[in-house]
Amino acid sequence: MAQTIIDPMEAAEAYRRSLLDLLGQDDPAEVQSTTAVRLRDLVTRSGVDLRTRPEPGEWSVIECIGHLVDSELTTAARVRWIIAEDQPDIVAYDQSLWVDRLRHGEDDPDDLIALFEVLRTANLRLWAARPEGDRTRVGLHRERGPESYEMIVRLAAGHDRLHVGQAERALTAVRR
């Protein structure tokens, strides 16, 4: 059964809730620590279908991976602003524009995953090293309002599950 992906720009609170529901009670750092391996597995299994979109307007496996890299990059900046500044402005971005204009459909999967791994490792190390009090520090997301460092980490874990699942469904659909 296909999962509906909620537009984060048009339904910000529903999007946030959907990501938190995907995470459930799981430890967000543990969830995030497995994503790179899952992406490498997807690339290996995709073979020639890596760049094929299941439908016009839907992302291919490589585009889902490119989006996860973009998300990890923006998360890296957001959490550092939150730790370093008082209630910083958290800029939103249009994920579809980034995937299209950065041409993730043409990217080398090994390069994308290598960048993802470096960013993810740095973000997880930062999370583990920060004192508990930093987790409540807040940034002001332009679409979703106040978000704590902890909330961003939890959302990122649910986001991983959302888009790894999307990539899995894309591969299945292409192979039908």
Side-chain angles (χ1 to χ4, degrees):
M1 177 165 88
Q3 179 174 351
T4 302
I5 296 179
I6 299 166
D7 186 322
M9 295 177 75
E10 294 193 16
E13 188 52 41
Y15 178 73
R16 181 181 358 211
R17 183 78 258 146
S18 72
L19 296 182
L20 293 174
D21 287 348
L22 285 169
L23 175 61
Q25 297 302 311
D26 296 337
D27 180 305
E30 286 180 23
V31 170
Q32 291 182 54
S33 70
T34 66
T35 302
V37 171
R38 294 184 71 196
L39 296 178
R40 286 202 184 282
D41 176 62
L42 261 167
V43 168
T44 300
R45 288 187 294 116
S46 295
V48 298
D49 298 319
L50 180 74
R51 299 176 196 285
T52 306
R53 286 183 165 190
E55 296 286 334
E58 291 184 21
W59 292 343
S60 64
V61 170
I62 193 69
E63 289 169 321
C64 290
I65 294 170
H67 170 61
L68 284 165
V69 172
D70 293 339
S71 179
E72 196 64 20
L73 181 64
T74 60
T75 295
R78 289 171 176 174
V79 299
R80 283 159 179 79
W81 271 309
I82 288 171
I83 291 168
E85 298 181 17
D86 293 329
Q87 296 190 353
D89 182 36
I90 304 297
V91 178
Y93 69 102
D94 185 322
Q95 61 188 17
S96 295
L97 287 177
W98 282 46
V99 166
D100 290 342
R101 292 184 180 169
L102 293 173
R103 297 189 181 133
H104 287 313
E106 300 169 18
D107 282 340
D108 179 278
D110 292 328
D111 290 347
L112 281 178
I113 295 172
L115 177 56
F116 180 85
E117 287 176 317
V118 167
L119 293 166
R120 177 56 58 88
T121 298
N123 287 339
L124 288 175
R125 283 184 181 155
L126 182 68
W127 176 251
R130 300 308 305 171
E132 199 68 28
D134 279 357
R135 294 180 181 193
T136 61
R137 291 187 59 81
V138 171
L140 303 175
H141 193 286
R142 289 186 184 175
E143 292 172 345
R144 297 188 300 256
E147 285 188 347
S148 69
Y149 178 21
E150 182 171 12
M151 177 60 73
I152 288 176
V153 171
R154 294 183 65 72
L155 292 171
H159 185 263
D160 281 8
R161 286 183 168 168
L162 175 71
H163 290 292
V164 169
Q166 179 186 13
E168 292 278 1
R169 290 187 302 278
L171 182 58
T172 299
V174 165
R175 291 195 167 158
R176 270 191 222 140

